[in-house]
Amino acid sequence: MSDPNLLAGRYRLLERRDRTGTAWRARDELLNRDVTITEVRLPPPGPHRDWLLGQIRAAADLRHPGVATLHDVISAPDRMWLVLESVEGRSLIQAVRSDGPLSSERAAEIGLRVLDTLTAAHERGFHLAATPETVLLTPDGRVVLTGVAAPVPAGDLRDLGATLFTAIEGRAPDTGFQAVPRMADGTPLAAPAAGPTGSGPLAPLVEGLLSADPAHRPDATSVRLSLERVAPHSAASRSTASRSTASRSTASRSAASRSRRGPLVIAAAATAVAAVAAGAFWLWPRPVAPAPTVPVPLPASFAKAPDPCALISREQAAELSLNPRPSKEGPGRCAWKSDNTGQPTNMRYQLWIQTIRFSSGEKAHAGYTRFLKEDGGRTKTSTGLPLILTRPPKALPGIAAEAYAMEATNQLTYYTGVVFRAANLVVAVQYQRGGETDPRGGTREAALRTGRWVLGSLSRAR
């Protein structure tokens, strides 16, 4: 019998790499290696689908250190899964947050590598994003572009300008430009500057790249010359690398005539995803540590129990890979389920939120205490399956008046429960996935994030 947790009987999906649930860290169990798998939803048959497939074919023979290699393609009538090289590292924005602004020389070196990748993509008729979030710096020195871009003339060079500005100034340029570097929670890296500033050697180039008038922006050749003047020692090595890359690309085109499998520039299909499904990141840098929890101000008392189905938004449900349309499961209880039942069972998710109102805060405290004791001693599910507590209930300081979290598995599913008391309410959040394990704490992170969203909604209740 085939393993339902394997995609195509071979790839075990381990954790999401992006906010939209379309890219995963996975394990190729045949070759025993880590890979990244990206799901591409196909548009209906017609020009858009033909264009998407044409982009993939156009990119299939590119060999370049700034892109990820395609190992395999799995097709279905309405989607395909691309099995890509696993690339680990920090995004440029994470590096700046952690280590501070970069030197002009280092920024120029990164800019040159990004420009090489953009040029290679242009030669094949597609575009990559080069924003502070999508420029990935790997431990072995590679600079990999992991994002998507719409095919807007010169738009990716303006991306590069925003990236260079952020690298050397440590903050986002205030240009009306949408590629503003943001933290994991969506807040800007820093307050935007009034405009391009600084007096370093890259300042004139960056100011030109960020010009609102495309006619005033330098072309790729001028950008390269300006960057090489700031990073002179990299110019010779980069010329050698470019010749080597060109040689490999020529050889790969010959190989492509013998085989339909080859590497893929990530944005080839991702650009279509941007047009069809509002965009997605194909590879996602390692998550940064969450910010410290700050208590949320709540009403002193709730006159009625809030509707649990209204406590998270459709967009938030989608971030958790759930169908944004919830269903009520009795008084005070709401459920969201995975919107893609075609996935392996260990990548199917469910969420429940339950709200219980008590007549006073004291009675809510008593109810919360009872739930804590019951969860600590629970050995079976409501249907009688044996339940293994992998993480017994543990207090969560700084969340509402009282809160705890626990994790358990019945060997079919794995879940994290978060229970907290807010005034005279007790709220329970449970997020689960198929399978008996939870690699890297994915259910825990999702349950805690949902709890914060619920608290935010309760803080606005009247």
Side-chain angles (χ1 to χ4, degrees):
M1 179 183 295
S2 62
D3 187 338
N5 293 327
L6 296 180
L7 181 63
R10 174 175 174 177
Y11 302 103
R12 188 174 300 278
L13 305 183
L14 299 177
E15 66 175 342
R16 292 193 304 273
R17 276 189 176 272
D18 70 342
R19 298 184 184 119
T20 64
T22 58
W24 298 272
R25 184 178 71 86
R27 187 72 178 171
D28 181 346
E29 300 208 334
L30 178 62
L31 298 180
N32 195 31
R33 66 181 175 186
D34 289 337
V35 294
T36 293
I37 293 183
T38 297
E39 177 185 346
V40 181
R41 303 287 182 93
L42 296 175
H48 286 161
R49 178 179 290 203
D50 293 343
W51 177 82
L52 166 58
L53 297 177
Q55 288 281 289
I56 293 175
R57 295 187 186 103
D61 65 341
L62 180 64
R63 297 287 198 277
H64 197 280
V67 298
T69 300
L70 178 69
H71 298 311
D72 197 2
V73 176
I74 302 160
S75 297
D78 63 342
R79 70 196 68 203
M80 62 175 61
W81 290 270
L82 307 180
V83 182
L84 296 152
E85 167 195 6
S86 179
V87 182
E88 298 291 346
R90 294 188 301 173
S91 67
L92 185 138
I93 188 174
Q94 289 172 338
V96 170
R97 285 186 61 203
S98 173
D99 305 332
L102 307 182
S103 68
S104 295
E105 292 77 11
R106 174 59 175 154
E109 181 184 7
I110 292 171
L112 281 168
R113 297 189 185 183
V114 169
L115 187 60
D116 272 352
T117 306
L118 294 176
T119 301
H122 287 178
E123 289 174 354
R124 287 158 179 81
F126 49 84
H127 295 256
L128 291 163
T131 69
E133 285 186 328
T134 64
V135 173
L136 188 68
L137 310 179
T138 72
D140 62 359
R142 289 176 65 188
V143 178
V144 180
L145 300 190
T146 66
V148 305
V152 178
D156 43 10
L157 287 182
R158 200 177 189 211
D159 278 355
L160 178 58
T163 295
L164 291 171
F165 183 97
T166 302
I168 60 180
E169 298 292 338
R171 61 184 184 272
D174 182 18
T175 62
F177 186 49
Q178 293 183 352
V180 176
R182 295 180 180 275
M183 300 182 187
D185 61 1
T187 58
L189 172 66
T197 61
S199 56
L202 289 178
L205 171 64
V206 172
E207 186 169 357
L209 288 171
L210 294 177
S211 173
D213 184 355
H216 293 163
R217 297 177 202 155
D219 60 18
T221 300
S222 299
V223 173
R224 181 180 300 279
L225 292 173
S226 296
L227 291 172
E228 287 181 345
R229 278 195 291 269
V230 179
H233 298 298
S234 66
S237 62
R238 291 185 59 75
S239 296
T240 300
S242 296
R243 288 193 297 271
S244 176
T245 297
S247 176
R248 290 195 302 270
S249 181
T250 300
S252 70
R253 282 193 292 272
S254 175
S257 66
R258 301 187 300 270
S259 171
R260 297 183 67 90
R261 180 177 300 179
L264 173 71
V265 171
I266 295 168
T271 303
V273 176
V276 175
F281 290 103
W282 286 60
L283 301 176
W284 199 253
R286 292 175 179 171
V288 295
T293 302
V294 178
V296 175
L298 296 168
S301 180
F302 292 86
K304 63 179 182 178
D307 178 4
C309 293
L311 292 178
I312 68 170
S313 68
R314 294 169 61 91
E315 293 75 18
Q316 289 166 342
E319 282 191 35
L320 301 178
S321 294
L322 300 168
N323 190 316
R325 297 182 180 85
S327 59
K328 289 197 173 182
E329 295 194 345
R333 183 175 169 88
C334 195
W336 292 257
K337 298 184 179 181
S338 175
D339 63 352
N340 185 359
T341 57
Q343 293 175 349
T345 56
N346 69 327
M347 296 306 294
R348 298 180 194 172
Y349 303 92
Q350 295 188 69
L351 170 70
W352 288 269
I353 299 177
Q354 184 173 9
T355 56
I356 306 171
R357 178 185 173 276
F358 294 83
S359 58
S360 67
E362 291 76 11
K363 291 185 177 180
H365 168 72
Y368 168 87
T369 303
R370 184 175 71 253
F371 298 147
L372 174 60
K373 182 178 180 181
E374 291 174 353
D375 280 340
R378 198 178 301 279
T379 60
K380 293 184 178 181
T381 68
S382 59
T383 59
L385 291 174
L387 192 68
I388 302 170
L389 283 177
T390 61
R391 289 177 180 259
K394 182 178 180 180
L396 294 173
I399 295 180
E402 301 170 285
Y404 69 87
M406 60 170 289
E407 296 180 41
T409 180
N410 60 14
Q411 297 184 310
L412 297 176
T413 60
Y414 191 102
Y415 77 87
T416 295
V418 173
V419 179
F420 60 87
R421 179 178 71 84
N424 61 325
L425 290 180
V426 174
V427 179
V429 172
Q430 179 176 313
Y431 185 81
Q432 78 173 38
R433 63 177 289 167
E436 58 181 300
T437 60
D438 182 32
R440 301 197 180 185
T443 69
R444 185 184 325 127
E445 191 277 333
L448 290 171
R449 193 187 333 171
T450 304
R452 291 192 291 269
W453 289 337
V454 170
L455 280 168
S457 295
L458 292 178
S459 71
R460 297 186 290 271
R462 293 292 181 267

